[in-house]
Amino acid sequence: MESLTVTLNNGLKMPKVGLGTWKSSPEAVREAVKSAIGAGYRHIDTASVYGNEKEIGNALKEVLNEGKVKREELFITTKLAQSQMDPEALRRNFEASYTNLQLDYIDLYLIHNPIGLKASVNDAVATGKYAPDGVDYVDTWKILETFVDEGRVKSIGVSNFNDKQIERILKVAKYKPVVNQIELNPYFTRTKLVDRCQANGIVIIAYSSFGSLDRPWAKEGDANLLKDPTVLSLAEKHNKSSAQVLLRFAIDRGCLVIPKSVTPKRIQDNIEVFDFKLTADDINTLMSLNRNFTMGLVLWKTCKDHPHSPFNEELQL
Ligand SMILES: NC(=O)c1ccc[n+]([C@@H]2O[C@H](COP(=O)([O-])OP(=O)(O)OC[C@H]3O[C@@H](n4cnc5c(N)ncnc54)[C@H](OP(=O)(O)O)[C@@H]3O)[C@@H](O)[C@H]2O)c1
C-alpha cells in the first residue's frame, strides 16, 4: 500500500496531502481545518500573511482537546512574511505566528519568498511598485536555524526559491532546507527546478495545483485547469475528478500537495487520491500542457528588478 507520508532529509515524516489556507477567511478556516482533520488530513499549511493563523490555532486546540488527534500526528506549516525579513521584524513575525498557532512547536517554518520587501506583498501587487528591504535570504536562513536549535521549530525550508538561490543556502547551511514550496501544475511543470531540488534531497511541495482560480486578481476568461479537456479526459479514464487527477499529477512526480478548499465535500475529495495512480503516459500527456503560466505573474513582473527575483531566468521576464 502506498505510504501517506514522505521522509524529509532530516528524518521527519510529512504527509503527502495537506490543507491549503491562503484566501480562507478567518471565519471559514476554523470549520475547514476541523473538516480536514475529520477527513484524515494531518498537514495544515498557513502563513503569517494569510491572516488566519489564530483561527487555525483555535481549531487545532479544539481537535486536540477533544482527543480527535494527537499533537505528534499533526504537521503544521507556517511562513515568514516577505515584508518581515529584517532580523528584528523576523523575530517579531515568528513570535506572532508561534503565539497565534498556540502550539509548543511548529513543524515546518518557511521563508515565504526570497524577494524581501519593505511593505506588504499585497501593496506590491496592488500598486505595481515595491521597495526591496536590502536583506539577503542567506542571513534570514541563519536565523531560522536558531529556531530549530531552540526546539520551537522542527524543520525549516523555503518557498518560491530557484535552484541557484537554494545552492547559496546549501553552502552555509547547518540544516538543509527540507522543502521548496512552489507553484506547480500542468500549465507550469518546472522540470529543471523539480529535478534539481529532488537531486539535493529537497522535497517539492506543489501549490496552486488547480491553478488558484480564487486568486484575487483572476479575470473572466482566464484558463481553467480544472476544465482543461486533457485533464477531464484523464479524469474520465480513471473515474476520478479533474481535481484528483491534478493532485495525483504532483504526487506521482514525487511532490507533496496542499489543495485549498473551504468546502467540506471538496476537502474530502481532495484527500481521496490514494486509490489510483497516473501512468507514465498520463504524466507525459499532462506535462505537454506546460505553457509556463504562473498565477503569480503580477508579483513576479512587478519585482523583476529585485536583486533576489527567482523568476527572471525561468520566465524570461
Ligand atoms: N508559498 C506560496 O507562495 C504560496 C502561494 C500560493 C498558494 N500557497 C499555498 O497553496 C495552497 C493552494 O493553492 P491556492 O490556494 O493558490 O489554489 P488551489 O488549491 O489551486 O485552488 C483553490 C481553489 O480551488 C477550489 N477547489 C478546491 N478543491 C476543489 C475541487 N475538488 N473541485 C473544484 N474546485 C476546488 C477552491 O474552492 P473552495 O475553497 O471554495 O472550495 C479554490 O477556489 C494555498 O491555499 C496556500 O496554502 C502557497
Side-chain angles (χ1 to χ4, degrees), residues 75-215:
F75 193 104
I76 310 302
T77 300
T78 194
K79 315 181 191 88
L80 168 67
Q82 67 187 107
S83 61
Q84 308 290 319
M85 310 247 289
D86 160 81
E88 260 186 43
L90 186 170
R91 286 178 205 283
R92 275 198 307 273
N93 198 241
F94 174 73
E95 292 304 335
S97 292
Y98 190 76
T99 306
N100 282 333
L101 288 168
Q102 306 165 61
L103 300 167
D104 288 345
Y105 62 89
I106 291 168
D107 294 273
L108 176 61
Y109 194 57
L110 304 180
I111 302 181
H112 204 144
N113 203 303
I115 300 176
L117 300 174
K118 275 199 175 140
S120 93
V121 60
N122 295 335
D123 285 359
V125 171
T127 62
K129 297 196 179 93
Y130 75 97
D133 62 2
V135 175
D136 184 341
Y137 53 80
V138 171
D139 298 329
T140 310
W141 187 257
K142 297 309 289 176
I143 299 177
L144 261 54
E145 288 181 332
T146 66
F147 299 151
V148 179
D149 288 331
E150 288 164 4
R152 300 206 295 165
V153 170
K154 295 271 185 203
S155 306
I156 48 179
V158 295
S159 178
N160 297 304
F161 276 52
N162 69 27
D163 50 321
K164 290 187 183 129
Q165 293 171 328
I166 292 180
E167 297 285 346
R168 282 191 70 223
I169 289 188
L170 289 175
K171 280 199 183 113
V172 301
K174 173 174 169 193
Y175 304 119
K176 264 174 95 161
V178 293
V179 300
N180 187 16
Q181 187 184 114
I182 58 167
E183 184 178 353
L184 193 76
N185 60 47
Y187 288 165
F188 196 23
T189 52
R190 318 185 72 177
T191 318
K192 181 173 152 240
L193 180 60
V194 172
D195 287 352
R196 293 255 173 106
C197 285
Q198 290 179 339
N200 273 320
I202 294 166
V203 169
I204 294 288
I205 304 179
Y207 73 66
S208 303
S209 296
F210 309 143
S212 196
L213 291 166
D214 58 346
R215 63 188 181 277

